[in-house]
Amino acid sequence: MQADILIKNAQIVDGSGARPFHADIAITGDQITQLGALRGATAEHVIDATGLTAAPGFIDVHTHDDWAVLEDPGLACKITQGVTTIVAGNCGISAAPFAPRDGLPAPFGIVPQVNALSAPTVSAYATRVAAACPAVNVSLLVGHSTLRAGAMEDVSQPATPDQIA
């Protein structure tokens, strides 16, 4: 068997809750193509993982990386920790759907370029994320404060029925 990358002798933690086990991992292109005792397998790159653990990517479920995936798509701070998926749009603020304006409520202050980096629709944001080609998968929650700021001039007041609609 020929692969692009062969990881030998890894302890595998597969995320299922099963006990860890030792195996080799063959990767061709961007997919794992075989897992097990791959005696006789060859590859352009061979990694000896003796004493190391391989695991599925981690999901960071509470991030404010909505904008980071656009500014720094390599996201070394995530992938070096094994994070392969982020859930953005937490704490009520999200990059989309966003109506740029001055005088935004305090939570938006955590993003210095919030008006420039946000998108008017979730679809437009998804297009920007795809163009940035981040090193992680991105899932977006729509922030309630983002919706409120888009529908209301004065977010310190109760929303009217029209604004709620």
Side-chain angles (χ1 to χ4, degrees):
M1 187 203 111
Q2 174 67 34
D4 297 332
I5 301 170
L6 184 59
I7 303 172
K8 304 280 291 173
N9 308 311
Q11 174 179 264
I12 310 290
V13 177
D14 68 9
S16 70
R19 296 184 67 97
F21 60 95
H22 284 83
D24 304 326
I25 306 166
I27 302 168
T28 303
D30 62 357
Q31 295 202 355
I32 295 174
T33 51
Q34 268 193 291
L35 181 70
L38 305 179
R39 291 175 188 79
T42 60
E44 183 177 328
H45 300 286
V46 177
I47 299 168
D48 181 4
T50 302
L52 301 175
T53 300
F58 299 110
I59 301 170
D60 188 344
V61 298
H62 189 149
T63 77
H64 296 280
D65 294 331
D66 316 38
W67 300 273
V69 298
L70 302 173
E71 287 190 304
D72 178 22
L75 287 172
C77 63
K78 298 292 179 179
I79 62 168
T80 57
Q81 297 179 71
V83 173
T84 58
T85 300
I86 63 161
V87 179
N90 283 277
C91 295
I93 61 172
S94 60
F98 187 82
R101 69 174 223 221
D102 293 328
L104 288 164
F108 291 96
I110 67 168
V111 183
Q113 299 175 340
V114 68
N115 283 327
L117 296 174
S118 297
T121 65
V122 172
S123 178
Y125 176 75
T127 298
R128 290 185 70 193
V129 169
C133 197
V136 297
N137 300 303
V138 179
S139 177
L140 180 69
L141 302 173
V142 173
H144 58 83
S145 292
T146 302
L147 294 176
R148 190 170 169 83
M152 303 174 64
E153 271 306 308
D154 184 356
V155 296
S156 68
Q157 298 298 312
T160 67
D162 286 343
Q163 290 168 331
I164 293 170

